[in-house]
Amino acid sequence: MQLINQKGKKLTDVLFDAVVYAVCLLIFLSIVYPLYFVIIASVSDSTLVSTGQVTIFPKNISFFGYSEIFKDSRIWTGYGNTLLYTVLGTAVNLLFTLPAAYVLSRQEFRARRFLMLTFVITLFFNGGLIPTYLLMKDLHMTNTMWVFIFPFCVNVYNLIIARSFFENSIPKELFEAASMDGCTHFKFFLKVALPLSKAVVSVIGLYYLVAHWNDFFTGLIYIRSNNLQPLQIVLRDILLSNQVFSQGAGAGGSAGGYAQQYADQVKYGVIIVSTLPILIVYPFIQKYFDKGVMIGSVKG
Amino acid sequence: MKSAHKKPTVVNTFRRDYQLWIMIFPAIVVIFIFNYIPMYGIQLAFRDYDFSKGLTGGAWRGLFYFRQFFDSYMFADLMKNTIAISLATVILSFPAPIILALLINQVRWKRAKKTLQTTVYLPHFISIVVMVGLLNVLLSPNSGVIGHILSSIGLGDINLLGSTKTFVPVYVLSEIWQHCGWNSIIYLAALSTVDPQLYDSSKIDGASRWQTIKHVDIPALIPTIIILFVLSMGNVLSTGFEKVFLMQNALNLPVSEVIATYVYKIGIISNQFSYSAAIGLFNTVINFIFLYAMNLVARKSSDISLW
């Protein structure tokens, strides 16, 4: 016998919905709450935070953490460096990747299969950390800003995504027609292919951008000078190595529990300040995500 | 007229395609220098590194450095830790996005669905350093919010980040927290291509919601699942160097030292380039064997494979 309520739905289905929504709410809270907690903890009295009295609303609002952060020159140097590496790096990424992807999408290009294969092999094989490190040293790239920009500036996954897009959404006939009128590949790429591909350009541009912003590894391995360190390395010093204050006052236990309390507040603030740019652009870029994956999943 | 039928020679096609060559040339150069030259440099693992002779100039040592690694007291621990962390990550974090996608797909209320999706994608964009920093402040035994929650239910005062027992669970759970949502996108995309008629006809047949998931949704995801599984197996031993490295501390080191972090310490910190390169190469070979084996299994069992 089937149990049916007035709307014609089975009772089991109503129950099913209830479970689905309950689990979804749980997932939602498990992601939102920690992030929300960091925000309220960064502006609350640090003693109340550390004794567990700050749970839903900020208490005894204080901006001490932020004022310390604004005074810290390391953070601003790191911010500036990361901004420079991100902008320049993403520009170089696109400049190297997009034309190559266009070429690999041209059926008449005879070296296409061979070149594609040599590119794809690099997804599965690499020289490993040590040979790569020694190569950078031989090229005198270590401890320069160029190590953030040129090495690996062509990401093969992104290349494949762009290639599939060009292949599937720029009809072959379009170039044939254009070339009848004397259009060259250069012109066709700039005037026709690129303007028709804004979606894919923004998606892989975004992938590159986020990768540069979050890049920690390059700074760790290749940079020694403090003036060149990206934000992520500075963040590591503050968040994980406890080098909270520039002057070093709060670094050890020397200043006692007092400094340690403020150190925590500085940490919450640093998490917010360093993630802010991504949180600001997030709502604008979010609509491209599904599109990006759909583009990427097209078989090529 | 005749020239049109002539077989295209190398020179002819080059004359025709020179602009294409110019456009792809920068990418070829970059891939060659930064991907292929280091592969050539793998020989370092079989030679003594000599500063004056560069990447491949030192004296030939054969398998010396590999033997040194196999005989070292670190070998067993490194293998054990690397495999434990990688397998736990794959086994637990692989199904999570599939389940999440099936769940999100069941949400009919459009605004709730949109909000949920936006939220679950978000942690993916947090950098690894900030992620580990978050873990540090939230899990701190005396001042973190999770520490407070745990002690309020009577499990208090466990140092989750400084214990050999909790390192792997914390690592894996935080991986799921951060990337599960983002990884579900591809499954959601696959689900969105399911023919709506299939849902209608299963409804007419009287299938419950659960049965629809079992007989319509899951079969639709199988090809995507297999491909992604094979790919994830290929990375089984190269598990996130960065996150493990950042989560390491003196207390959890017995379970958190993995091949990748060891390669970094031996090579970059203490300059034993040849020994470190040999360990790195060993790691790559194991990875490839895993990838090859999984691909074989996938091809035999389902006709889906990477090559």
Side-chain angles (χ1 to χ4, degrees), chain A residues 17 30 108 118 232 240 282, chain B residues 16 36 118 127 136 177 209:
Chain A
D17 264 338
S30 75
E108 74 268 25
T118 42
Q232 300 298 332
L240 304 175
Y282 186 72
Chain B
R16 189 192 69 196
Y36 279 92
T118 309
S127 77
N136 266 315
W177 186 84
R209 298 274 295 277

Side-chain angles (χ1 to χ4, degrees), chain A residues 183-293:
Chain A
C183 185
T184 62
H185 278 294
F186 286 160
K187 232 179 174 173
F188 183 76
F189 174 69
L190 286 174
K191 296 261 158 86
V192 182
L194 274 189
L196 285 174
S197 313
K198 285 194 189 107
V200 78
V201 174
S202 45
V203 166
I204 68 169
L206 169 73
Y207 288 169
Y208 279 133
L209 197 90
V210 172
H212 280 294
W213 184 269
N214 289 340
D215 184 11
F216 159 75
F217 187 75
T218 312
L220 175 74
I221 307 280
Y222 299 111
I223 301 295
R224 294 285 159 267
S225 150
N226 283 331
N227 298 325
L228 289 169
Q229 288 294 11
L231 184 62
Q232 300 298 332
I233 295 286
V234 180
L235 290 178
R236 189 204 39 171
D237 291 345
I238 294 173
L239 289 172
L240 304 175
S241 312
N242 276 319
Q243 299 164 12
V244 172
F245 299 99
S246 312
Q247 290 76 22
S254 58
Y258 179 78
Q260 188 52 47
Q261 277 174 25
Y262 289 110
D264 276 348
Q265 199 175 12
V266 172
K267 285 183 188 178
Y268 288 116
V270 161
I271 291 176
I272 303 287
V273 170
S274 64
T275 317
L276 206 60
I278 286 175
L279 294 182
I280 291 172
V281 292
Y282 186 72
F284 300 100
I285 57 180
Q286 197 260 333
K287 60 178 178 209
Y288 291 111
F289 295 163
D290 301 322
K291 213 190 274 175
V293 171

Side-chain angles (χ1 to χ4, degrees), chain A residues 89-102:
Chain A
T90 307
V92 170
N93 287 142
L94 292 175
L95 205 68
F96 279 59
T97 308
L98 292 172
Y102 170 78

Side-chain angles (χ1 to χ4, degrees), chain A residues 2 10 12-13 16-17 19-21 23-25 27-28 30-35 37-38 49-52 54-55 96 99-100 102-104 106 108-111 115 117-119 121-122 124-139 141 150-154 156-157 159 184-187 189 206-207 210 213-217 220-221 224 232-233 235-236 239-240 264 267-268 271 274-275 278-279 282 285-286 289-290 293-294 297, chain B residues 8-10 13 16-24 26-28 30-31 33-39 41-42 44 49 51 54-55 100 103-104 106-109 112 114-130 132-134 136-138 140 142-145 148-149 177 182 185-186 189-190 192-193 206-210 213 227 231 241-242 245-247 260 263-264 266-268 271-274 276-277 284 288 291 306-307:
Chain A
Q2 284 184 349
K10 279 189 247 169
T12 50
D13 283 356
F16 186 89
D17 264 338
V19 173
V20 165
Y21 281 102
V23 175
C24 284
L25 188 68
I27 293 171
F28 177 78
S30 75
I31 289 172
V32 168
Y33 184 71
L35 301 175
F37 179 80
V38 174
V49 174
S50 64
T51 51
V54 174
T55 47
F96 279 59
Y102 170 78
V103 173
L104 292 172
R106 305 306 311 181
E108 74 268 25
F109 186 59
R110 293 189 68 210
L115 285 175
L117 185 71
T118 42
F119 285 11
I121 285 173
T122 65
F124 301 104
F125 292 100
N126 60 68
L129 177 64
I130 302 302
T132 312
Y133 174 76
L134 292 173
L135 171 73
M136 300 295 182
K137 253 183 125 163
D138 288 348
L139 294 173
M141 275 198 158
F150 285 106
F152 308 108
C153 66
V154 176
V156 176
Y157 281 109
L159 181 78
T184 62
H185 278 294
F186 286 160
K187 232 179 174 173
F189 174 69
L206 169 73
Y207 288 169
V210 172
W213 184 269
N214 289 340
D215 184 11
F216 159 75
F217 187 75
L220 175 74
I221 307 280
R224 294 285 159 267
Q232 300 298 332
I233 295 286
L235 290 178
R236 189 204 39 171
L239 289 172
L240 304 175
D264 276 348
K267 285 183 188 178
Y268 288 116
I271 291 176
S274 64
T275 317
I278 286 175
L279 294 182
Y282 186 72
I285 57 180
Q286 197 260 333
F289 295 163
D290 301 322
V293 171
M294 295 298 256
S297 62
Chain B
T9 63
V10 176
T13 58
R16 189 192 69 196
D17 292 340
Y18 80 97
Q19 291 195 332
L20 293 174
W21 279 106
I22 291 173
M23 287 164 88
I24 202 172
I28 296 175
V30 164
I31 296 271
I33 294 177
F34 295 105
N35 292 93
Y36 279 92
I37 292 180
M39 284 188 214
I42 286 174
L44 194 64
Y49 181 67
F51 273 99
L55 217 52
L100 183 66
L103 200 66
I104 292 177
Q106 289 300 320
V107 176
R108 301 286 157 86
W109 181 19
K114 196 107 200 135
T115 313
L116 185 63
Q117 277 181 279
T118 309
T119 315
V120 295
Y121 299 163
L122 183 62
H124 178 78
F125 292 90
I126 298 173
S127 77
I128 293 177
V129 179
V130 169
V132 179
L134 256 176
N136 266 315
V137 289
L138 296 179
S140 153
N142 34 42
S143 61
V145 64
H148 291 308
I149 293 173
W177 186 84
W182 182 256
I185 292 186
I186 190 148
S192 72
T193 62
S208 71
R209 298 274 295 277
W210 175 246
I213 293 180
I227 286 280
L231 278 173
F241 159 79
E242 293 177 51
F245 178 72
L246 289 168
M247 281 176 71
V263 168
Y264 168 74
I266 294 289
I268 310 286
N271 286 332
Q272 300 182 47
F273 294 128
S274 294
S276 185
T284 309
F288 187 71
L291 179 69
L306 288 175
W307 61 78

